[in-house]
Amino acid sequence: MKQIIKIIGNPKIFVYTLIWLMVLVVLGTLAQRDIGLYASQQKYFSANITWLGNIIPAPGGRITMVVILVNLTFMVLFKHNLWKIKKIGVLIMHIGGLLLLIGGGLTAIFSSEGNMVIEEGAQSNYVDDYHNMELAVINTSNEALDEYTVFDQPILGKGNILSHENLNFNIEIMSYLKNCEPLKRTAPAGIQYRGMLKNFMLNELKPEKENSRNRPGITYRITNSGSSIDGIYGIFFGQSVSQTAVINNQNYEFIIRKKRTYLPFAIELLDFKKVLHAGTGIAKSYSSEVNLIENGIPRRVLIEMNEPLRHKGYTFFQASFIEGLEGETTVLAAVKNYGRLFPYISSIIMSIGLLLHLLSSLPKLLRKIPGVSPS
Amino acid sequence: MIKNQTTLILLAIVLLSCDMGDHIRTYRLPKIKESNNPHQIKDVKIKPSGFIWKKPDLWIPSRGSSMRLASFEIPYSGGVGELSIIQLGGEGGGLEANVNRWRGQIGLGPLSRFEIEAEAENGVSEIGNYQLFRLINLEKKESAFLAAIFPLESSALFIKLIASADGIVDLEKDFKAFCSSMKRDNRNQ
């Protein structure tokens, strides 16, 4: 057991993983030019395994950080010579580093970022994720309520079969396209194709560097419906007329959309204001006067460019706006980050550790200077 | 030693590869009419640019809203049409959203983006190519649109003519000539 603890807490692991992390930072930074910021983040920093040159597997940023975290934890807990008054500065620095990694982990796992788009006079209670998509299957048969069964992007891979007790059929994913365009068929489609795919096909395109410019699409097969509805369907992001199907007397709608997170409160846009620099069309400031509605009680709040609204762990920044003929629409960037305070706290702790270490080493340092003796 | 370290790292990789997330969610919501348009979110509005054009003598400049670069009243055999020129940042809300909004204004149902593009006619001008849309509801002939959308570098220019269905037919030739005459106004540079 002691041997295992010694191996896991070996400082050499920390040094090597830190060097590897630096290599990843360089690779990720260079890759941004070719594949864009988001794809580079995903490939080098958010992945457990990254493929160098698409051939050689190597530890990704996430696994590297986990190794550092485990190594540092074992170092702090089991390295007995750290737990001495002489080493108090070093110990505090290690604890600060641990907190930084824990905060990073919380952010990576639990944080979410997205947009809330609200027209003047309207209200919204959900945030659309910037990057992640979802397949929503909506049972619209009920007159008052729509029943949503939502499948997240990670399970929309080719070959996956989606099923749920709410659905009396299965959905087999035939392809998930990161970027696609609908093309009109030049020849008649096979009899297995249904809906839009009877006249169009989804043509895969090379993903754009800027992820928001991609138009994802899915082709899927409905099976086990026990009716002629079984067949191959296709949908793409932004399709204005959604794919519908009547299966066993139930009406279903299929939509691919940005992953949607519902909030326990709503925001109503009362007024959007923009101020331009005099005589120019250049923006000076934007602001959104909103009602924060919780449990039916509205509270008036002004969201400005550097004055976000913070509520229930969410922060709403004024990000953009859309100017339309019928009115204005505000675009708020919504961020939820559980690890938000960790960098601040851990930086303070590490600074204290450094200071203590410096102070405790000072007599030793002074002794080394000829002619100076500590009093 | 190296063997043991490698084993531990591999073990950690295997453990992390296990996906424990629940990726299926269900909920019920009251029925709402919602938009599913990906082009709605745009960058902050860009600085408006000046344009120059050639117009028929019969077109009369008029006072429009502050958002418009220019407005004209256009007489035709059955009445007076109204033409507006507007420049918006980004894609200005997107082709699909705008065309479907115009269609909705004259009682036509929405179309998908590729149906819209299939109906568009392409034109050429010095500021770039544009797409021309003829929106006529044969059951509501009193109001119809001719619209041109110019996708520019960081903005979009919209030229829209509102007239009766018969007026649209009368004015189409002049409208196309006007759109094709669009140039950047570089006189102040």
Side-chain angles (χ1 to χ4, degrees):
Chain A
M1 188 65 184
K2 271 187 180 176
Q3 185 64 18
I4 291 173
I5 290 169
K6 198 176 167 187
I7 293 167
I8 298 173
N10 191 335
K12 281 184 186 171
I13 295 179
F14 183 81
V15 174
Y16 292 138
T17 45
L18 208 60
I19 292 169
W20 177 244
L21 211 54
M22 288 178 202
V23 172
L24 284 179
V25 169
V26 173
L27 293 175
T29 308
L30 293 175
Q32 276 183 52
R33 194 177 65 104
D34 298 321
I35 60 175
L37 179 65
Y38 179 69
S40 175
Q41 273 179 346
Q42 293 298 307
K43 181 175 178 183
Y44 291 98
F45 307 122
S46 300
N48 288 326
I49 308 265
T50 186
W51 293 84
L52 302 177
N54 292 327
I55 301 168
I56 307 160
R62 181 166 290 188
I63 190 69
T64 309
M65 299 288 267
V66 170
V67 170
I68 293 177
L69 177 69
V70 172
N71 174 252
L72 211 55
T73 308
F74 274 69
M75 235 193 280
V76 169
L77 291 180
F78 301 110
K79 211 163 172 72
H80 298 299
N81 63 350
L82 265 183
W83 292 85
K84 288 178 182 167
I85 197 74
K86 270 195 329 192
K87 297 266 185 177
I88 186 76
V90 179
L91 180 66
I92 290 174
M93 272 194 288
H94 277 75
I95 291 170
L98 265 179
L99 275 179
L100 194 63
L101 287 165
I102 291 167
L106 286 176
T107 301
I109 297 166
F110 298 111
S111 72
S112 61
E113 287 181 315
N115 274 317
M116 185 182 253
V117 183
I118 321 168
E119 289 175 23
E120 266 178 346
Q123 56 178 266
S124 172
N125 68 341
Y126 62 83
V127 174
D128 284 329
D129 194 279
Y130 282 142
H131 303 294
N132 293 315
M133 308 296 295
E134 65 185 18
L135 170 66
V137 183
I138 311 164
N139 185 336
T140 57
S141 308
N142 188 304
E143 280 184 10
L145 292 169
D146 286 338
E147 186 176 74
Y148 289 72
T149 307
V150 179
F151 301 93
D152 287 343
Q153 189 174 338
I155 56 171
L156 300 181
K158 185 179 178 181
N160 283 358
I161 295 174
L162 313 176
S163 60
H164 191 270
E165 59 188 17
N166 284 358
L167 309 176
N168 47 21
F169 53 90
N170 292 338
I171 302 168
E172 180 190 347
I173 303 295
M174 301 191 70
S175 64
Y176 178 85
L177 310 172
K178 282 185 180 173
N179 191 19
C180 70
E181 63 175 356
L183 286 184
K184 197 161 175 62
R185 286 189 188 275
T186 50
I191 53 164
Q192 69 273 36
Y193 291 103
R194 302 278 194 278
M196 179 190 76
L197 289 191
K198 280 195 285 193
N199 297 312
F200 293 88
M201 54 188 182
L202 294 181
N203 179 40
E204 186 166 15
L205 298 173
K206 189 183 168 196
E208 297 281 342
K209 283 185 197 175
E210 190 60 50
N211 191 48
S212 60
R213 296 175 71 91
N214 287 324
R215 180 201 293 266
I218 300 178
T219 54
Y220 58 94
R221 186 196 296 270
I222 291 183
T223 56
N224 294 339
S225 73
S227 69
S228 59
I229 293 297
D230 278 6
I232 301 173
Y233 295 79
I235 49 173
F236 60 88
F237 179 55
Q239 196 172 321
S240 56
V241 182
S242 54
Q243 178 65 57
T244 55
V246 181
I247 305 173
N248 297 329
N249 297 322
Q250 298 288 303
N251 299 316
Y252 291 96
E253 216 173 292
F254 299 79
I255 297 173
I256 180 171
R257 64 186 190 187
K258 297 276 185 191
K259 185 178 177 181
R260 192 168 284 191
T261 305
Y262 284 89
L263 309 175
F265 53 90
I267 294 179
E268 178 186 19
L269 178 64
L270 299 172
D271 189 26
F272 177 81
K273 280 185 187 151
K274 64 176 186 296
V275 180
L276 302 179
H277 286 284
T280 73
I282 300 167
K284 190 177 174 189
S285 71
Y286 306 106
S287 63
S288 296
E289 190 180 354
V290 301
N291 263 339
L292 174 65
I293 305 167
E294 196 168 17
N295 301 322
I297 302 164
R299 173 163 68 92
R300 195 162 286 208
V301 185
L302 186 67
I303 302 172
E304 293 182 280
M305 284 169 91
N306 292 313
E307 290 178 35
L309 161 66
R310 294 183 200 277
H311 188 67
K312 293 211 161 168
Y314 283 92
T315 309
F316 296 90
F317 299 91
Q318 182 65 59
S320 183
F321 75 96
I322 303 160
E323 209 165 33
L325 296 175
E326 282 85 26
E328 286 159 329
T329 301
T330 192
V331 180
L332 304 175
V335 180
K336 186 164 195 179
N337 185 359
Y338 291 97
R340 187 170 64 90
L341 294 176
F342 278 77
Y344 304 109
I345 295 166
S346 55
S347 299
I348 292 167
I349 291 173
M350 282 192 283
S351 303
I352 292 169
L354 272 171
L355 197 66
L356 285 173
H357 184 63
L358 182 72
L359 289 174
S360 65
S361 308
L362 209 54
K364 201 175 165 185
L365 285 171
L366 290 174
R367 268 199 297 273
K368 284 184 180 172
I369 302 171
V372 178
S373 60
S375 52
Chain B
M1 175 74 92
I2 290 170
K3 191 181 166 188
N4 287 338
Q5 288 178 358
T6 313
T7 310
L8 283 167
I9 289 169
L10 286 174
L11 185 67
I13 291 171
V14 170
L15 285 173
L16 278 168
S17 303
C18 301
D19 186 359
M20 294 176 290
D22 183 7
H23 293 298
I24 304 177
R25 286 165 288 127
T26 58
Y27 47 86
R28 287 178 172 204
L29 291 173
K31 283 190 184 296
I32 44 164
K33 186 83 181 166
E34 61 184 355
S35 164
N36 188 34
N37 171 23
H39 301 288
Q40 275 188 338
I41 299 161
K42 291 298 148 225
D43 292 332
V44 168
K45 185 177 183 285
I46 53 98
K47 179 173 84 169
S49 303
F51 299 94
I52 52 175
W53 48 73
K54 284 181 188 168
K55 67 169 186 66
D57 290 337
L58 276 175
W59 290 19
I60 306 157
S62 64
R63 186 175 287 192
S65 74
S66 59
M67 279 181 61
R68 294 182 180 181
L69 296 180
S71 299
F72 297 98
E73 286 179 355
I74 305 175
Y76 63 97
S77 55
V80 178
E82 187 193 357
L83 183 139
S84 60
I85 306 173
I86 291 171
Q87 188 184 14
L88 296 175
E91 290 179 19
L95 171 75
E96 195 179 339
N98 280 299
V99 173
N100 279 331
R101 195 182 66 249
W102 296 332
R103 290 179 63 84
Q105 286 168 359
I106 56 170
L108 293 171
L111 295 177
S112 64
R113 187 183 175 98
F114 42 98
E115 285 170 323
I116 289 168
E117 284 182 337
E119 284 196 5
E121 194 178 318
N122 294 315
V124 182
S125 77
E126 280 195 21
I127 60 168
N129 296 343
Y130 61 88
Q131 286 180 298
L132 183 83
F133 300 93
R134 199 178 294 103
L135 305 174
I136 298 172
N137 184 349
L138 293 174
E139 291 172 8
K140 282 174 71 177
K141 283 188 161 185
E142 64 276 16
S143 190
F145 297 143
L146 261 182
I149 300 179
F150 294 74
L152 304 178
E153 199 177 344
S154 56
S155 64
L157 191 73
F158 297 84
I159 303 179
K160 193 167 86 166
L161 170 65
I162 306 171
S164 69
D166 293 335
I168 292 297
V169 176
D170 281 353
L171 297 171
E172 187 171 339
K173 194 177 166 190
D174 287 345
F175 182 84
K176 283 183 190 170
F178 176 77
C179 291
S180 298
S181 75
M182 295 296 291
K183 290 181 186 175
R184 287 225 180 256
D185 185 1
N186 297 319
R187 286 173 297 184
N188 295 328
Q189 292 181 6

